[in-house]
Amino acid sequence: MAYASTLSLRELRQDLHAHPESGWKEFRTTALIAAALDDREFTLHLGSDAVAEDERLGVPDDDAVAAAVERAREEGAPDAYLDRMDGVTGLVAEKRFGDGPTVGVRVDMDALERTESSDEEHRPAKLGFASTHPNEMHACGHDGHTAIGLGIARDIDDDGGFDGTLRLFFQPAEEGGRGGKPMSETDLLSDIDYFLALHLGLGNPTGTVIGAYENPLSNAKLDVTFEGAPSHAGNAPNEGRNALHAATAAVQNLYGIPRHADGATRINVGKFESPNPQNIIAEEASLRVEVRGGTADLNEYMLDKARRVLDHAAGMHDVSVETGLYGKTATFTADDEMIEAVLASAADLDDVTETVPRLDIGGSEDASYLIRRVQEHGGKATYVGIGASNEFGHHTSRFDIDEDALDIGVDVVCQTIRTL
């Protein structure tokens, strides 16, 4: 029996929390879940069968990927599934239970690149399941999402009550908006009748269920590199071409892009690097920039303006600039039929204390691409919120969830699937 098959949902969540893997490195997570679902005779689509490999965004370099595969192997990932992935993470698992509708469920798997708190009052540290990987941490609940995904498979497989096909999407690289688009571009979404994605926490208490988080901001992230020429800052400053100066000019003017009258627009420079001594004119500087918009058009407005600022900042200082798309998301609106099904299902559960029909999610979410793909083919979709009493905010070093929310998440989704 596969290792993950022997664990409760809490145990699985804590195991994944202790072994976090950031985007496109989720080899252990993918392999463990694949093995558990293989035990239950789900059909597995792994790696490039689960995502459009050439459409991936923000992929780490080959050495980083190879190191992640080796670490996964050392930490118990079954070789057979690592070999089938062939360097590409992602899993879609499906099983036919009858002639009824095809229902898809999407959960994300990746961790964030940040260090977890070692404070003795931080529950994962106190109980011994804090991250064992430097600069990687499950600070957004994706460990819980993955556990819920396996829990849904177990529940439907064991207890029946569903006459259709269940298709589970274990998505890599949600952080940064890198994995949703390539996963949406496979044929595995073209025949789905009903589709649910989900998220734990987001400031809501355990027992609260939101029928739809919707209207996320469209988002695009750019990696930017300015290249100039070095020279001695004292003896020959005129011979250099200052990439750092161009980058600082870009930052100032990026924040100066006019906001749009038609809706919400955002911009942020989240990363700035120039590895250079103080007495050398800087030959290189890099940024990571993100823009957002309430619609795809507003997002493109911000993206176009940002690229114009970057190009002109480079021209001002006689340096070159290269930009690469690191990640991208879209927006969506959930379907009334799906919201009603979620709320009706949640109302039947003793552990659900409050239901909320709709909330704007506020940030960005790359499940948007999967949801829109389903809707474009005539299916119905929603993005369910499961409260998890997270005392500390998402993406912080002390983030944690109330694990009672795991069973609630499974029950709400499974009851909805059976209702559909």
Side-chain angles (χ1 to χ4, degrees), residues 9 107 143-153 198 200 405-406 409-410 413:
L9 293 191
V107 293
D143 49 348
H145 300 170
T146 303
I148 287 173
L150 181 56
I152 292 165
L198 61 90
L200 289 164
L406 301 176
V410 171
V413 173

Side-chain angles (χ1 to χ4, degrees), residues 169-224:
F169 294 78
F170 292 87
Q171 185 204 301
E174 186 278 330
E175 300 295 352
R178 296 175 286 159
K181 190 172 188 294
M183 181 163 267
S184 75
E185 293 182 0
T186 70
D187 290 335
L188 296 168
L189 284 143
S190 60
D191 62 344
I192 289 181
D193 300 293
Y194 303 106
F195 186 82
L196 302 99
L198 61 90
H199 208 300
L200 289 164
L202 298 179
N204 291 293
T206 303
T208 299
V209 173
I210 296 92
Y213 281 124
E214 58 184 355
N215 301 318
L217 298 175
S218 293
N219 174 286
K221 293 176 172 65
L222 291 174
D223 278 335
V224 183

Side-chain angles (χ1 to χ4, degrees), residues 199-213 353-356 358-361 383-394 399-402 405 408:
H199 208 300
L200 289 164
L202 298 179
N204 291 293
T206 303
T208 299
V209 173
I210 296 92
Y213 281 124
T353 56
E354 181 182 8
T355 59
V356 179
R358 298 173 181 267
L359 285 176
D360 284 353
I361 197 168
Y383 187 94
V384 181
I386 307 293
S389 295
N390 53 297
E391 178 183 0
F392 296 95
H394 290 253
F399 178 82
D400 190 21
I401 58 167
D402 176 2
I408 295 174

